[in-house]
Amino acid sequence: MKLFVYHTPELTPTDVLPECAIVVDVLRATTTMAKVLASGGEAVQVFSDLDLLKQTSESWAAEKRLRAGERGGAKVPGFDLGNSPLDCIPEKVEGRRLFISTTNGTRALQRVQKAKVLITAAFVNRSTVVQYLMDKQPETVWIVGSGWEGSFSLEDTACAGAIAHSLVQSTGLSADELAGNDEVISAIALYAQWQDNLLGLLHHATHGKRLLGLDGHQDLDYCSQTDILDILPMQQEPGILKSHH
Ligand code: 3SL
């Protein structure tokens, strides 16, 4: 297995695709996706365009759908949900499809949509992602941070480091043997520095501060937890993710 970390979708190569792509948006899209599916959601369908989201979800029975949308960290007016994982409790999401549009997570997913396998990761489901990689041993793996509008996001690269760190321990390979690019080494170093205080790391992150300004303390608390959800969101068809068993 060769692992590559890309801090943002824009930094991924455009002429090749990996066997397995892992999209990370700790704050908050991929944390929310894991929570929805862990709470019994039928699927998550992602859109960059809000009008297309509304149009597509119209064809679903009202009791089988939820519309979730975020722009600039805030809920899209008129939608059922914003992008808070805390809203995705079984009472609300069980048996429903979440039609969702977010600023950066959606874009990162679209960038690697054609990879043979596309999964999503956050701190909350890190161990399930690592277990999948250990079982399947894909030859090339990209971890793609969603960033913020093209810029580096501390929390996404730290989560990439959490996955890489765990892979080093599980495979017995050295970081040098596993790493396909230098970003892997720096991501592991970032995670190693902060692994005992991930909430502190989220408080340093630009987007963490943005969410704190929007009263997002509880979201940061939730997103900072590691290995609490045994769920693997995997793309089944372009833009549609379901829980992989
Ligand atoms: O940009 C995104 O995809 C979102 O996760 C951002 S937010 O945390 O919902 O504001």
Side-chain angles (χ1 to χ4, degrees):
M1 189 189 313
K2 271 289 173 202
L3 182 66
F4 299 78
V5 169
Y6 298 102
H7 301 309
T8 67
E10 290 75 12
L11 291 169
T12 58
T14 50
D15 53 342
V16 280
L17 279 168
E19 192 178 334
C20 176
I22 304 172
V23 167
V24 176
D25 186 9
V26 170
L27 296 174
R28 295 165 293 176
T30 57
T31 303
T32 295
M33 289 172 190
K35 183 70 163 62
V36 170
L37 296 177
S39 296
E42 180 264 335
V44 173
Q45 188 163 355
V46 296
F47 295 84
S48 46
D49 183 71
L50 291 173
D51 289 330
L52 186 60
L53 184 159
K54 285 185 207 156
Q55 201 185 314
T56 310
S57 58
E58 271 312 310
S59 61
W60 282 65
E63 69 278 10
K64 289 281 177 199
R65 68 168 189 236
L66 279 170
R67 292 172 178 144
E70 163 278 326
R71 287 294 179 268
K75 176 174 173 261
V76 173
F79 276 36
D80 303 304
L81 303 172
N83 187 24
S84 171
L86 297 173
D87 286 337
C88 302
I89 52 175
E91 293 76 3
K92 277 192 190 163
V93 306
E94 200 157 22
R96 294 179 182 233
R97 178 169 294 201
L98 191 82
F99 294 87
I100 187 168
S101 179
T102 67
T103 315
N104 303 287
T106 305
R107 210 175 47 202
L109 282 163
Q110 286 174 341
R111 183 74 170 221
V112 285
Q113 205 168 51
K114 295 202 172 103
K116 194 169 154 202
V117 175
L118 171 54
I119 59 183
T120 66
F123 287 120
V124 289
N125 68 333
R126 185 271 308 253
S127 59
T128 312
V129 168
V130 170
Q131 190 55 55
Y132 174 81
L133 296 174
M134 291 302 296
D135 291 346
K136 300 293 177 190
Q137 296 287 328
E139 250 176 58
T140 49
V141 178
W142 292 2
I143 307 179
V144 183
S146 297
W148 185 268
E149 295 180 344
S151 302
F152 173 87
S153 278
L154 201 52
E155 66 279 11
D156 292 341
T157 296
C159 183
I163 296 167
H165 185 268
S166 181
L167 278 174
V168 165
Q169 289 178 332
S170 305
T171 57
L173 296 172
S174 68
D176 278 342
E177 286 167 323
L178 187 67
N181 62 3
D182 287 359
E183 286 89 330
V184 175
I185 309 295
S186 69
I188 291 173
L190 179 64
Y191 173 70
Q193 172 82 19
W194 286 94
Q195 59 181 323
D196 296 326
N197 184 17
L198 291 173
L199 182 57
L201 177 90
L202 297 189
H203 278 252
H204 280 297
T206 314
H207 189 46
K209 290 180 181 149
R210 188 181 292 114
L211 290 174
L212 289 172
L214 294 165
D215 205 17
H217 287 82
Q218 290 182 326
D219 276 3
L220 263 64
D221 289 351
Y222 188 82
C223 296
S224 70
Q225 299 175 92
T226 304
D227 302 341
I228 58 163
L229 298 179
D230 183 13
I231 199 87
L232 187 69
M234 183 180 286
Q235 180 173 262
Q236 306 295 316
E237 52 187 283
I240 301 179
L241 296 125
K242 295 191 177 184
S243 170
H244 176 76
H245 300 287

